């Protein structure tokens, strides 16, 4: 079965593919908003993973993971810290930011590459907030309808 293409853009990334400071650990460290194009109507929830792809020790390091985000073409930024956000149903797991968004903040003078990946799911996940990315992706795998990534650099 061929998946319909999902495209994403984010207010966190400028036209040169770099993180805007307000979405980093040197700024407001606020989770960004996303715009999705081509989201299928069967999507019930979204999951988002932010990875540092060039971490000098770990190779790849998860900064943030969130799931059970209501599936809409616009994902609002500024998701509040917490394992479970009352009212929205959003769950945030364990990454560099425990139960919260934690944006890029490599050592001064170094540059790292980051990737946001958004998964459109056909279900809400009954997953504990104590899971890391591997657990999230294992639970999400049979429910993934679409996925898309967007990369950015921070120096």
């Amino acid at each position: 079965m061929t998946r319909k293409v999902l495209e994403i853009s984010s207010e966190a990334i400028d036209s040169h593919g770099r993180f805007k400071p307000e979405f980093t650990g040197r700024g407001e460290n606020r989770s960004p908003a996303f715009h999705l194009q081509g989201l299928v109507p069967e999507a019930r929830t979204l999951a988002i993973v932010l990875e540092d792809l060039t971490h000098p020790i770990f190779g790849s390091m998860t900064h943030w993971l969130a799931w059970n985000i209501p599936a809409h073409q616009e994902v609002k930024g500024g998701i509040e810290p917490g394992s479970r956000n009352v009212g929205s149903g959003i769950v945030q797991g364990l990454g560099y930011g425990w139960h919260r968004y934690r944006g890029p903040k490599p050592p001064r003078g170094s540059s790292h590459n980051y990737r946001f990946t958004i998964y459109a799911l056909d279900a809400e996940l009954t997953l504990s907030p104590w899971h890391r990315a591997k657990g999230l992706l294992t639970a999400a795998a049979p429910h993934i309808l679409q996925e898309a990534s967007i990369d950015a650099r921070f120096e």
Side-chain angles (χ1 to χ4, degrees), residues 24-83:
T24 72
R26 292 202 181 94
E28 296 172 25
N29 216 11
R30 180 172 59 89
S31 68
F34 295 91
H35 179 73
L36 286 64
Q37 291 182 312
L39 183 65
V40 294
E42 298 84 12
R44 289 189 50 212
T45 65
L46 304 172
I48 301 176
V49 176
L50 170 60
E51 297 175 275
D52 177 343
L53 302 173
T54 51
H55 192 278
I57 297 171
F58 304 113
S60 175
M61 181 176 160
T62 302
H63 269 245
W64 179 51
L65 58 157
W67 60 91
N68 291 347
I69 300 165
H72 297 290
Q73 290 183 341
E74 299 292 332
V75 176
K76 293 183 180 186
I79 295 174
E80 292 293 323
S83 58

Side-chain angles (χ1 to χ4, degrees), residues 43-133:
R44 289 189 50 212
T45 65
L46 304 172
I48 301 176
V49 176
L50 170 60
E51 297 175 275
D52 177 343
L53 302 173
T54 51
H55 192 278
I57 297 171
F58 304 113
S60 175
M61 181 176 160
T62 302
H63 269 245
W64 179 51
L65 58 157
W67 60 91
N68 291 347
I69 300 165
H72 297 290
Q73 290 183 341
E74 299 292 332
V75 176
K76 293 183 180 186
I79 295 174
E80 292 293 323
S83 58
R84 295 185 190 277
N85 289 341
V86 179
S88 70
I90 296 171
V91 180
Q92 296 180 92
L94 295 177
Y96 183 52
W98 276 38
H99 308 298
R100 70 182 181 100
Y101 175 81
R102 189 148 181 196
K105 189 180 176 184
R108 293 205 186 270
S110 67
S111 177
H112 287 211
N113 297 316
Y114 297 85
R115 174 173 293 147
F116 284 103
T117 304
I118 295 183
Y119 302 90
L121 308 176
D122 65 2
E124 190 171 294
L125 300 177
T126 56
L127 193 62
S128 159
W130 294 100
H131 279 82
R132 297 186 182 274

Side-chain angles (χ1 to χ4, degrees), residues 5-36:
V5 175
L6 178 66
E7 295 179 10
I8 60 173
S9 58
S10 175
E11 65 180 358
I13 302 167
D14 71 16
S15 62
H16 301 289
R18 294 183 304 238
F19 263 93
K20 294 178 183 175
E22 60 264 36
F23 302 100
T24 72
R26 292 202 181 94
E28 296 172 25
N29 216 11
R30 180 172 59 89
S31 68
F34 295 91
H35 179 73
L36 286 64

